[in-house]
Amino acid sequence: MTLDLSSRRIQARPPLAGVKRGAASQDALKGLRLSHVVVPLKAALSDAKVLTGRQTPLVQFDLLVVEMESEAGETGMGYSYTLRAGGAGMFSLACEIAPRLLEEDPNDIDRLWEKLRWQVNSLGRGGMAYQTIAAFDTALWDMKARRAGLPLAKLLGAHRDHVRIYNSEGQYLQASIDGIKAAADRSLALGMGGIKLKVGQPDGQEDLRRIDALRRHLPDDIAMMIDANQQWDRTYALQFGRIVDDLGLAFIEEPLDAADFEGHAMLADALATPVATGEMLSSLDEAVQLMRTGGCDIAQFDAPRIGGITPFLKAMNVAEELRIDLAPHWMMELQVHLAAAYPQESWVEHFFSLEAAFNERLEIADGRVAVPARPGLGLTLSDASRDWTAARHDVGTVTRL
Ligand code: MG
């Protein structure tokens, strides 16, 4: 069998548009500074993954920080993170791929995300590969917003200038009932609009006692959430969810394994309480699959974990189309800009532990956090973060950083 090429034609494919810096480029990256920062926590945190013996208490977190500057004198700062393991690995990978951004126009963020993605393609489409890209992507968005003189939320197109905020630190499993009440009081005094209690005690009855005690303790207008950190199975989660279904909880978070999209969809169908999940997903593909499966009433995507602001915005578009609410995970200083740019009212998650990394503090009052008015993310690395820097590497020419 041979092809008769005299009668068969296939059109030549044009080269992929935009894979190179083009004639319309307006600026060029000339230097990048990469830092691996290890931020200690004031107190160790234990969620249900620790009680099931799968993880050790969290005592620190690792930041990959990317600072960049351009020929035109613009600067940008972005970051990504990991918990327990992988900080040095992300930093090492970042050092390998950073030179690929030199001389590129930092305005072409989507194209540069694609360029980096193909650099790490062999490592997989997600995980550490994408979390490393996230730090570069966020720095590019920060630079673009600073160049425009706008807060990131305004550059994206904000729907509001403050976002609902809740706190869960102090509500971990090792705390006593008196302890969670006292921690909730401290959070409310700071203006939080909700309190999230960790669940997943070995004795489920103890979880119910803690939920009941906290709900009775909180004012009626303060939202309450619970978070099982993926440690239940479908049957237990359904039984538990039905018992607490009349409490009016704002959401039940990660009742099941993060990859059990169908199980989460079953619970979302069966319970009146909204089901929230998505924080563990590390790619746009996974996020879209979760939403299209009906696996969440509230999407908790985490911009650094999903690969940066660029894929997060694409996930937001799908969430909006499917009328899914948003409550981004962790990294509140970054997520507040994204939550403010989402059409539906969102929640941002507050952690005291994150504050030490930056010089700036979020303004919280009446259950809401103000979107910072400073250009870009509105963040600068704290002196403490400079002290906690375990490794640093410059690429290209760094003069202003
Ligand atoms: Mg969680």
Side-chain angles (χ1 to χ4, degrees):
M1 182 81 180
T2 57
L3 282 177
D4 176 8
L5 295 181
S6 64
S7 62
R8 295 173 183 230
R9 287 279 183 273
I10 187 164
Q11 288 185 337
R13 298 187 70 221
L16 277 176
V19 291
K20 289 187 182 140
R21 182 167 179 259
S25 294
Q26 301 198 345
D27 195 3
L29 287 173
K30 69 170 189 172
L32 297 97
R33 169 163 290 164
L34 315 175
S35 304
H36 173 202
V37 180
V38 182
V39 181
L41 300 187
K42 286 186 183 136
L45 298 178
S46 294
D47 64 29
K49 298 188 290 296
V50 175
L51 285 205
T52 51
R54 288 173 167 145
Q55 286 186 343
T56 52
L58 187 70
V59 296
Q60 63 186 41
F61 63 94
D62 294 50
L63 289 176
L64 167 63
V65 181
V66 171
E67 296 164 277
M68 50 178 60
E69 63 179 274
S70 75
E71 298 282 0
E74 303 290 342
T75 59
M77 189 274 288
Y79 54 99
S80 187
Y81 75 95
T82 181
L83 309 177
R84 294 186 178 79
M90 283 173 66
F91 174 73
S92 177
L93 180 57
C95 292
E96 278 189 76
I97 63 177
R100 300 287 298 168
L101 291 180
L102 289 176
E103 299 178 18
E104 289 284 7
D105 186 340
N107 296 295
D108 300 339
I109 302 177
D110 203 65
R111 179 175 62 80
L112 297 180
W113 197 94
E114 280 292 313
K115 181 172 184 177
L116 293 180
R117 165 169 108 75
W118 286 102
Q119 290 304 301
V120 300
N121 189 52
S122 182
L123 294 171
R125 298 175 67 140
M128 190 170 94
Y130 281 15
Q131 288 168 245
T132 302
I133 293 176
F136 295 98
D137 178 79
T138 305
L140 289 167
W141 278 103
D142 184 50
M143 181 183 282
K144 180 170 270 195
R146 287 193 204 194
R147 186 193 301 270
L150 295 171
L152 177 64
K154 291 284 185 189
L155 182 79
L156 300 174
H159 282 266
R160 58 195 70 85
D161 56 12
H162 43 69
V163 180
R164 292 182 296 179
I165 188 163
Y166 71 91
N167 182 270
S168 53
E169 215 160 336
Q171 305 298 321
Y172 277 69
L173 296 177
Q174 74 274 21
S176 66
I177 286 181
D178 284 345
I180 62 178
K181 288 182 185 173
D185 289 344
R186 284 194 295 276
S187 292
L188 297 185
L190 290 169
M192 301 294 165
I195 302 292
K196 188 171 80 185
L197 177 69
K198 295 289 186 180
V199 292
Q201 303 281 351
D203 175 5
Q205 206 63 29
E206 176 63 13
D207 276 328
L208 294 175
R209 277 192 289 273
R210 292 161 68 88
I211 291 171
D212 184 52
L214 183 61
R215 184 62 272 181
R216 288 172 190 275
H217 182 72
L218 296 176
D220 288 347
D221 62 344
I222 295 298
M224 180 174 158
M225 309 82 166
I226 59 173
D227 182 0
N229 288 98
Q230 311 178 62
Q231 298 306 297
W232 291 342
D233 61 35
R234 293 183 182 188
T235 304
Y236 186 91
L238 183 57
Q239 290 173 338
F240 197 100
R242 282 183 170 150
I243 292 172
V244 300
D245 215 11
D246 294 332
L247 284 178
L249 296 173
F251 53 80
I252 297 179
E253 178 171 327
E254 285 195 322
L256 305 173
D257 185 275
D260 187 2
F261 298 172
E262 290 84 3
H264 280 102
M266 177 275 291
L267 291 175
D269 269 349
L271 300 176
T273 309
V275 170
T277 188
E279 69 176 67
M280 295 306 302
L281 305 186
S282 67
S283 72
L284 175 63
D285 291 339
E286 289 179 333
V288 170
Q289 192 188 345
L290 170 71
M291 291 187 283
R292 294 224 183 276
T293 308
C296 61
D297 298 302
I298 299 174
Q300 298 189 292
F301 308 131
D302 175 325
R305 199 173 258 164
I306 205 174
I309 293 169
T310 297
F312 190 99
L313 294 174
K314 295 176 182 181
M316 268 171 63
N317 285 339
V318 177
E320 180 186 355
E321 183 186 321
L322 297 174
R323 274 64 179 177
I324 291 170
D325 281 333
L326 201 64
H329 172 248
W330 190 253
M331 291 303 170
M332 55 198 186
E333 294 93 347
L334 162 57
Q335 310 280 27
V336 64
H337 290 276
L338 303 173
Y342 193 63
Q344 291 161 232
E345 271 279 14
S346 308
W347 284 102
V348 167
E349 180 174 26
H350 181 271
F351 281 90
F352 296 107
S353 310
L354 299 177
E355 291 180 336
F358 305 106
N359 289 317
E360 297 76 14
R361 293 288 174 274
L362 294 173
E363 290 175 31
I364 298 165
D366 301 326
R368 307 182 71 90
V369 54
V371 179
R374 300 175 295 275
L377 297 174
L379 294 176
T380 52
L381 269 187
S382 66
D383 292 343
S385 285
R386 303 281 179 198
D387 291 342
W388 294 327
T389 299
R392 205 174 84 175
H393 180 67
D394 286 350
V395 175
T397 308
V398 171
T399 55
R400 296 171 60 92
L401 301 177

